[in-house]
Amino acid sequence: MKRVLAVSPHLDDAVFSAGGTLAALADAGDEVTVLTCFTGNVAHPSGFALACQLDKGLDQRVDYMGLRRTEDVAACTEIGAQALHWPFLEAPHRGYESATALFAGRHEDDLIEDELLRALAYAIAAMQPDLIYGPMAVGNHVDHLAVRRALERTAEDVVWWEDYPYAMRETEPPEGIYRSALAQQYAERKTAATLCYESQLGFQFGGPEQARAALMNWRMEGFSTRRQFAF
Ligand SMILES: [Zn+2]
């Protein structure tokens, strides 16, 4: 039995990107933990942060992160993993005020990478995982990049997953990424887990039926152990 730690930026990334692989590891008897970094609440979100909730059709009064944490527990249960949630705040709560800003590089005063580094160093020392997965940060989302850099600075060997759905824009994987096909049963488990993230399906895929179709069509996951990428 191995202890497997998957470090996910947001509530959905690990399952979207590596859910089939993690389900296969759990089935083989490994102890799989999905640790999601950015799951913290703010009491009264405003501006772009509030818009990210309202555009999912969720009223201002809904506890948006609470809802997503519940979805994540269901998704992780589906793939046989334990869900852990850290209270770091997503980029819209850290001064990134538009969708464009999320992909346009780190703000100078954003010190989240160092905070993540300290928390990850502590967690890894306590958990002693045999295998660590993390985001390659395909797509360059600032939160994904922060997790990647913090993990690079904390852990020697990390298996990086190709971030989904950003990776689907590239029919050929970037050099150094190995894509493997998921067996039917794991494509199905991953799909079932993905469908648990109900609040995100419209935004990410266009709806649950489109999500199911996309995932049953794209039955692969991409990984690399490289530290440098050209994208
Ligand atoms: Zn994400």
Side-chain angles (χ1 to χ4, degrees):
M1 185 209 73
K2 292 193 298 286
R3 274 188 299 272
V4 179
L5 174 63
V7 184
S8 188
H10 304 121
L11 293 158
D12 64 18
D13 289 311
V15 167
F16 282 5
S17 305
T21 300
L22 297 176
L25 290 170
D27 273 8
D30 291 344
E31 190 183 291
V32 180
T33 301
V34 174
L35 163 64
T36 304
C37 299
F38 298 106
T39 89
N41 287 61
V42 297
H44 301 289
S46 60
F48 176 56
L50 177 60
C52 291
Q53 168 172 347
L54 299 179
D55 70 15
K56 311 285 183 320
L58 298 167
D59 186 88
Q60 190 163 1
R61 287 163 296 184
V62 173
D63 176 359
Y64 182 43
M65 296 310 289
L67 176 75
R68 291 175 62 192
R69 286 193 297 268
T70 306
E71 292 173 346
D72 187 60
V73 169
C76 289
T77 302
E78 191 66 52
I79 61 166
Q82 189 196 353
L84 283 182
H85 299 146
W86 274 354
F88 294 107
L89 299 180
E90 290 186 329
H93 299 299
R94 303 199 313 276
Y96 296 84
E97 289 176 345
S98 69
T100 313
L102 298 178
F103 301 95
R106 185 181 81 85
H107 290 178
E108 227 168 79
D109 60 352
D110 181 7
L111 302 178
I112 194 70
E113 181 186 323
D114 292 335
E115 292 180 42
L116 286 169
L117 172 74
R118 283 191 287 275
L120 281 168
Y122 182 84
I124 289 169
M127 293 167 79
Q128 297 282 316
D130 301 293
L131 185 55
I132 300 176
Y133 284 89
M136 210 175 281
V138 177
N140 290 316
H141 190 296
V142 288
D143 287 345
H144 291 220
L145 284 168
V147 172
R148 167 158 187 149
R149 293 196 182 117
L151 255 184
E152 274 176 341
R153 291 166 62 194
T154 323
E156 276 293 306
D157 298 307
V158 177
V159 181
W160 307 104
W161 67 62
E162 214 182 353
D163 308 63
Y164 184 93
Y166 307 105
M168 283 183 77
R169 296 175 198 155
E170 311 270 355
T171 42
E172 286 297 320
E175 199 196 328
I177 294 174
Y178 173 70
R179 279 184 183 161
S180 58
L182 293 176
Q184 175 74 16
Q185 61 167 319
Y186 294 115
E188 284 173 6
R189 289 270 295 286
K190 175 178 182 167
T191 302
T194 297
L195 293 175
C196 295
Y197 295 104
E198 246 176 273
S199 68
Q200 305 302 304
L201 296 178
F203 170 73
Q204 295 283 7
F205 299 95
E209 278 317 305
Q210 292 90 330
R212 185 192 302 277
L215 284 166
M216 293 312 287
N217 185 36
W218 182 274
R219 294 188 200 186
M220 52 188 159
E221 291 176 347
F223 299 96
S224 181
T225 51
R226 281 196 186 188
R227 294 182 88 86
Q228 297 292 328
F229 294 97
F231 57 79

